[in-house]
Amino acid sequence: MMRQRYSSQRVARILGWTTVAVTWGATVIARGLGAPAAGDAVPQEPPLEPALVSAASSTSLTFPDEPDGGLVIIRGTAIPNPEPVTVVRRVVVAQASQSAPITITTEIKKQKSEGS
Amino acid sequence: MIEGRFRAMGTQVVVVAPRPDSVDAVFARFVEVESTCSRFLPDSELSRVNKDSATSIILLPLLAEIMACADDLRHRTEGLVDPAMGGPVEAWGYDRTFAEVTDLPTSPIPVPKGHWEIQGADLHRTPGTRIDLGGIAKGWTCDRAVERTEALVVNAGGDLRSADPGLTVTVEDPWGNAAAEVDLGLGGLATSTIAHRAWKVGSGWANHLIDPRTLRPAEGPVVSATAVATTAVEAEAAAKAVLLLGEEGLGWASRQPWIRGALVVWRDGRVFATTGLRVRAA
């Protein structure tokens, strides 16, 4: 009787929809847990366009105007596989604007400049 | 040599100095300048000046000196780097420390920039002019620390002044990759980017760099610009101007005798430079 009521096709369909429902539910719960509380500042990194540009299409893009002395191309192709846009969750906390220095002894020949 | 680190002016400061007390001296200098020039500290002299409705005001020597430096750079950058952009910057939401900036539902009504001049210690300005010395004060402090031989190198969030003839600087792109290596040696280097200090406004984005020509956040093909000059404060102003000028930035930089060279990261990740830099792919 069971065999008649639940044909293999029907069982497969029930299993399929159950999987979809469970996946959807898990996603909703995960998003809910990750969502910031109301009032939190949630700035994000702005979308940077390399995600939309393939290395192959870079030749059709613009170039800087030619500087006096010529243009040096240091990286000539677009970034083919950029990191996904980062979403930063920032929680505002009271903090001192300055901190006392800490020092380490080392051989220092290199610095970094990542911009501000 | 030792390396000291501390936070000041909203950024991480790295100091290469001969002794720990030299690092302390640099720290004290940053504290002094920040407590004078910050628009986020309510008791700073700059905050008092911005709150004051008088159109003429006498500044204390430190602020007067930094304003004179800003005036010089305003002229050299043909008005692209102007501390009187405080009003428009605040209108776009950057009216508190960046950690506290929140998204805005809509674009603001444009606020005009102020007009000002400085003669000695006397600051004259149009009513409502609000001054923002953010990057200028940072670069100026790096320069002063190195010029007073308190440090060999001072790097304040990418604004860097070096008295080390062998110093190499790795310039990072906004995605965290090494974009290039610059043999800096003696001089100043600064990077300005619109990729990091950004927030949502309506369906678009705003960033900390407001273009004085449009009174809108900078937009264009350049997401990050680096410049090399004799001092860090010159490099800071040059980097901002190059970024704002977009396609024309490198060409403009190559015609400025006070800029040794410049490098830009394009929105698609490509990296270009003028010939004035000792630079190579990292």
Side-chain angles (χ1 to χ4, degrees):
Chain A
M1 191 149 171
M2 285 290 282
R3 202 173 279 262
Q4 278 177 339
R5 280 187 63 190
Y6 295 101
S7 66
S8 61
Q9 200 176 2
R10 192 173 180 196
V11 168
R13 204 179 303 144
I14 288 169
L15 283 174
W17 279 111
T18 304
T19 308
V20 169
V22 168
T23 308
W24 177 80
T27 306
V28 168
I29 290 166
R31 279 190 188 159
L33 290 174
D40 277 0
V42 191
Q44 302 168 336
E45 294 287 317
L48 294 172
E49 283 169 15
L52 307 173
V53 180
S54 72
S57 68
S58 65
T59 50
S60 63
L61 298 175
T62 58
F63 281 81
D65 291 355
E66 185 82 4
D68 291 2
L71 181 68
V72 179
I73 300 175
I74 296 170
R75 188 196 288 152
T77 53
I79 298 175
N81 296 305
E83 293 294 310
V85 172
T86 314
V87 177
V88 181
R89 180 169 181 222
R90 189 175 47 205
V91 179
V92 177
V93 291
Q95 59 181 27
S97 61
Q98 294 140 356
S99 69
I102 53 165
T103 55
I104 52 171
T105 306
T106 180
E107 181 69 26
I108 304 134
K109 272 293 172 197
K110 229 167 182 184
Q111 288 288 322
K112 252 186 1 177
S113 181
E114 72 277 21
S116 55
Chain B
M1 282 291 162
I2 61 156
E3 183 178 286
R5 291 170 184 267
F6 54 84
R7 277 197 75 78
M9 299 186 183
T11 195
Q12 180 82 8
V13 182
V14 180
V15 178
V16 180
R19 300 178 308 278
D21 61 331
S22 308
V23 177
D24 294 339
V26 177
F27 176 64
R29 191 171 289 285
F30 269 85
V31 170
E32 181 192 20
V33 175
E34 184 172 16
S35 54
T36 299
C37 298
S38 171
R39 65 186 173 98
F40 305 123
L41 298 175
D43 293 333
S44 74
E45 186 184 356
L46 184 66
S47 290
R48 290 200 298 273
V49 167
N50 278 340
K51 272 183 237 157
D52 198 320
S53 58
T55 52
S56 292
I57 195 162
I58 297 172
L59 306 179
L60 293 173
L62 178 60
L63 186 56
E65 189 174 350
I66 295 174
M67 286 298 290
C69 172
D71 186 31
D72 173 36
L73 291 167
R74 173 176 58 157
H75 288 106
R76 288 202 239 173
T77 58
E78 299 160 36
L80 287 169
V81 179
D82 188 340
M85 289 297 292
V89 168
E90 290 174 3
W92 278 94
Y94 196 1
D95 57 354
R96 58 203 81 180
T97 63
F98 185 70
E100 297 168 311
V101 169
T102 53
D103 298 343
L104 293 180
T106 56
S107 296
I109 296 165
V111 171
K113 79 181 182 78
H115 296 277
W116 62 283
E117 61 180 46
I118 188 153
Q119 293 164 333
D122 297 334
L123 175 69
H124 307 284
R125 64 215 169 135
T126 51
T129 299
R130 297 181 69 79
I131 305 292
D132 174 11
L133 284 169
I136 296 290
K138 207 164 52 173
W140 187 91
T141 312
C142 294
D143 289 329
R144 185 50 59 98
V146 171
E147 287 160 3
R148 296 279 168 94
T149 65
E150 290 159 356
L152 190 65
V153 178
V154 180
N155 180 356
D159 287 11
L160 189 152
R161 175 69 184 269
S162 164
D164 177 353
L167 188 75
T168 297
V169 180
T170 302
V171 177
E172 287 193 350
D173 69 18
W175 304 279
N177 309 310
E181 283 196 342
V182 179
D183 291 329
L184 176 64
L186 311 179
L189 178 147
T191 299
S192 185
T193 179
I194 56 172
H196 293 152
R197 293 191 184 197
W199 58 98
K200 284 201 93 168
V201 174
S203 58
W205 292 88
N207 61 66
H208 67 107
L209 190 55
I210 306 298
D211 190 330
R213 300 167 299 178
T214 62
L215 301 177
R216 297 183 57 79
E219 52 189 8
V222 179
V223 286
S224 169
T226 298
V228 173
T230 302
T231 65
V233 73
E234 288 173 321
E236 154 74 24
K240 279 198 173 123
V242 168
L243 198 155
L244 287 168
L245 285 167
E247 284 97 337
E248 300 165 16
L250 291 185
W252 175 82
S254 69
R255 295 188 295 275
Q256 309 304 312
W258 56 281
I259 300 175
R260 290 190 202 161
L263 176 153
V264 292
V265 179
W266 229 237
R267 275 192 183 274
D268 62 11
R270 289 177 297 155
V271 182
F272 305 102
T274 63
T275 50
L277 293 179
R278 284 180 294 167
V279 64
R280 61 190 165 274

